[in-house]
Amino acid sequence: MAGTPRVFISYSHDSDHHRARVLALSERLREDGIPTDLDRYVNGTPPEGWPRWMLDRLDEADRVILVCTRTYYRRFRGHEEPGKGKGVDWEGAVVTQAMYDARSRTTRFIPVLFDPADEPCIPEPVRGQSFYRLDSEPGYLALYDALLEQAGVEPAPLGPPRRRPRDQAQPLRFADPGGTAPAPRIDLSKLPAGAPDFLGRGPELALLDAAWSGDQSGADLQILTLIAPGGVGKTALVKRWLDRLRADGWRGAELVFGWSFYSQGTGEDRQASDDLFLSEALTWFGVAHDPAASPWDKGRLLAQAVAARRTLLVLDGCEPLQYPPGPLAGQLRTPGLKVLLTQLAGAGQPGLTLLTSREAVADLAEYARGPENPRGPVLTHDLGNLSDRDGAQLLHRVGCVRAGAAAIGPDDAELCAASREVRGHALTLSLLGRYLAEAEGGDCRRRDTVDLMTANDGAGGHVARVLAAYEQWLGRAGDTVELAALRLLGLFDRPAAAGCIRALREAPPIPGLTEPLLDLTQARWNQALSRLAACGLIERPGPSGTGDGSPDAAQRNPGATSQIPAASADSRGDLDSAALHPGYALRSVPATGTPGLAGSGALDAHPLVREYLGRRLREAHPDASREGHRRLYEYLKSSVPWCPDGMTGLQPLYQAVAHGCLAGLQQQACKEVYFDRIGRGAEFYSTNKLGAFGAELGAVACFFDEPWRRVSGALTEPDRAWLLNQAAFRLRALGRLTEALEPMRAGLEMHVEQKNWKNAAASANNLSELDLTLGLVSDALADAGRSVEYADRSGDAFLRMTMRTTLADALHQQGERGPALGRFREAETMQAERQPQYPLLYSLQGYQYCDLLLAGPERAAWRALLALWERLQPRREAAATGEAQSRPEAAPTGPRRDLGGQGSAGSVDWAEERSPTNTPADVSAPLGFVPQPNLRAQPIDGQSATRWQSGRGRRSIGV
């Protein structure tokens, strides 16, 4: 068959859902270049009547798709009750006759199935034909190839036989046609445990199914985001859907990878990072990359790997990486994750990215699906609270089964009222129901002892009231072990590793916190944890460490990778290696524990529970809180080699910094851990070798009392100034330019107070450059003036020369070209005195000077081009009625360079693209046209050309 086949689709009107599926199939084929005929395309009734219309379409069609279902088979065979399904009955008779006439030797008729269970419903006349399952993208592509006769493999030309001796011959063998597809590679070990009691959410589960299969509302969907406040059940919903997906053999997924950002803390002021996620995800996907690459590059590489195969990527709890409510609410603070998501949304992928957060991801707004963009690749679904009925059933399931002395059912009005009082908040209902079951015999009417009605608005207030009731009850009942174990989690903002818990329980006890846990038997400890887990207060991962609670997950998913230890076995065993600092003793870490990371034996709780416990511990037992953090600081910093390698190896040290600062040990944490071990002194290992600017910013934030304004007073003044500079540098490296202004300006003022004129000059210089980047030209001019003043006070010849070029460039951008030229000449005189062998400015300073010198010729060239454009525009003759002559087409302008950036104060129009790779002729002659008269009026002298080449050929020297 030559050309593109015309396709007729024969189907039965089983339901509205089925009709929509068939229409979507037809639309997809037409989108992919195959013309289709479908009864839905007819406006009303065809003039020739439906029987003749069907007959004509069957005659014209090169291929006929038979959408087989039970209803279709019944009507095709003529077994339907009278008066129903006459269309399929008629088409069935025509198809049967055509097959008979062709003696079944035709491939015009192609059976397709939406549901594999409908295979027995393929009509007998075409049962010998190949059929296609449309339950996945590969199934659709197989049908598409069959329609275009491009399925299979084109055989190679037949070559001469290569005979071998008979004793060396091999039997002919074929691949097993019944073989199964390779098992998907899966790692969900980084996701938290799901809720044991899950109710409702039928529409949301259906939405997830559609998003993965591409049916109906999920068509063309690349990213699905579930948005809801904490405790509503986002993670529980995702884990339940993953359980269903697992039971169905993962429904065609080739790769399944999950990650939870809740493991980095959930506080709004916490500077969480995507560095560890990018590092481990790239490794898991097998992507070779430079560890020092920028997060933008890592995000792009990861997006390419995810899109290369049918991948399900689950990103749980992304709000730590987003700006909290405010002017930038919902925007991602981490460039790597932002690039990953925007590239997957824009470029597409054969799989799906599933994301949960408390805030909608503002960076994906342009891709959002909605009335104005019905096929948008990103769908945001606001996950509401449970209905009164579902909430009542949840309360009943967890043990709230009485109203006074009377037993009640799951639909009782008392339970519905209780659900309504907490607005159907899933976590509150789960905790409340278990509390009433444990403390009040399951009596729903005793919920007034929890005082829910006076709780603060929002889910956090209700959760806090239930947790306070638990604390009081455990204290009254004398369950001090359970209460102490629960309070330990208040020291963590992430899952608590087994090694950290052991360090807290060691002698001597922490007064007011761990006395009941001293000398506790393992059996009693396990009993306490089991009871807390039964109350829903803590979560304990499955023994396999896969995080899905299934002990055989590792055996079912042999390709899955487990959590990588913070220090490899080799590094722990090589105690005499140079990696250990002289006199440093590496603490023994049992193989079952992963210091600082969630692994086997780790304890966790819902983030809202952790937040409450931490707040209560700081308020009620501040000394115990500080001592607990001090003990964790000592444990974590001694749990890995002195200089661990890689992002995973550094995680315990990053956590040690956080605990050290919370213990009031900011000075020790800064010197002993952050500078000496994470950065390895002046080597700056974490940024220069790993590109971990996000993780670095998170560590620096620990030293601030108020990001990014006030550094802790527990640090020396020079260290405070240094940390301000560190914060500003890392914010700039992450593209958060407006935020970088504040610490940079605060650091400058500290250097001035200390009369540290060299650092003050360099800080003012950096601040001026950042001002210009943001379009704050007047601020840049003022800061550049200060840099000259401080450089002169320092007496440093290099700084005095360099800061004058900074001021000159700011003057140039302000439009004050005469004063700018004077400053550049002054700086060049200083350069000639400082380095006679290099009398001209070079590197960045030389480029800036050439930029000014070439500005006149550039403007002249553009003026000539604009004048020529005006002359070449066609002008209409004045109309006889005396109408005014029409205006010429607008002349072109130079390229517009947006200097806004994040939070910009504005932008500047530029008349040229100023690049050091352009020659003077390139810049002065746009589009190859050289306006000679104007160039003669603004000549480029030999000295300017020499300066240009000097500016291009020298190596840049940093300030």
Side-chain angles (χ1 to χ4, degrees), residues 875-895:
R875 297 176 180 272
R876 297 178 182 176
E877 296 291 338
T881 57
E883 290 182 351
Q885 194 172 18
S886 62
R887 297 179 61 185
E889 182 180 342
T893 62

Side-chain angles (χ1 to χ4, degrees), residues 28-45:
R28 175 68 185 277
L29 290 170
R30 296 182 70 86
E31 183 183 72
D32 291 340
I34 296 180
T36 58
D37 287 316
L38 189 69
D39 60 356
R40 298 285 299 277
Y41 296 146
V42 177
N43 187 4
T45 301

Side-chain angles (χ1 to χ4, degrees), residues 587-767:
R587 182 168 180 156
S588 174
V589 179
T592 58
T594 301
L597 294 174
S600 178
L603 299 181
D604 196 13
H606 191 279
L608 289 178
V609 176
R610 277 194 261 120
E611 291 167 13
Y612 169 83
L613 294 172
R615 184 171 62 252
R616 284 283 298 151
L617 187 61
R618 290 190 300 272
E619 293 172 354
H621 306 281
D623 293 337
S625 176
R626 282 190 293 270
E627 174 57 25
H629 286 298
R630 186 202 64 79
R631 192 169 292 190
L632 290 172
Y633 167 74
E634 296 292 343
Y635 167 75
L636 287 165
K637 74 174 186 176
S638 62
S639 65
V640 290
W642 182 262
C643 292
D645 291 326
M647 276 303 302
T648 305
L650 287 178
Q651 291 309 299
L653 296 184
Y654 280 125
Q655 293 180 38
V657 168
H659 287 291
C661 291
L662 291 171
L665 304 176
Q666 289 90 340
Q667 191 64 55
Q668 290 176 245
C670 182
K671 178 65 173 67
E672 294 177 358
V673 181
Y674 178 63
F675 183 77
D676 287 348
R677 298 180 62 186
I678 293 177
R680 300 185 186 178
E683 182 182 346
F684 297 108
Y685 168 78
S686 50
T687 51
N688 290 349
K689 298 298 179 64
L690 302 179
F693 289 100
E696 281 287 296
L697 184 63
V700 171
C702 296
F703 298 103
F704 278 75
D705 290 338
E706 184 184 2
W708 303 104
R709 299 179 180 179
R710 192 173 71 255
V711 185
S712 171
L715 291 150
T716 63
E717 195 168 2
D719 283 345
R720 293 204 302 273
W722 179 72
L723 286 166
L724 284 165
N725 181 70
Q726 292 291 97
F729 178 71
R730 280 143 183 75
L731 286 166
R732 289 181 69 182
L734 292 170
R736 296 163 61 176
L737 304 183
T738 300
E739 291 179 85
L741 284 173
E742 195 163 35
M744 191 175 288
R745 198 169 294 283
L748 170 60
E749 300 306 329
M750 289 194 70
H751 289 312
V752 173
E753 289 177 10
Q754 299 165 9
K755 297 184 179 181
N756 185 341
W757 302 121
K758 285 187 178 182
N759 282 337
S763 295
N765 172 83
N766 294 336
L767 190 55

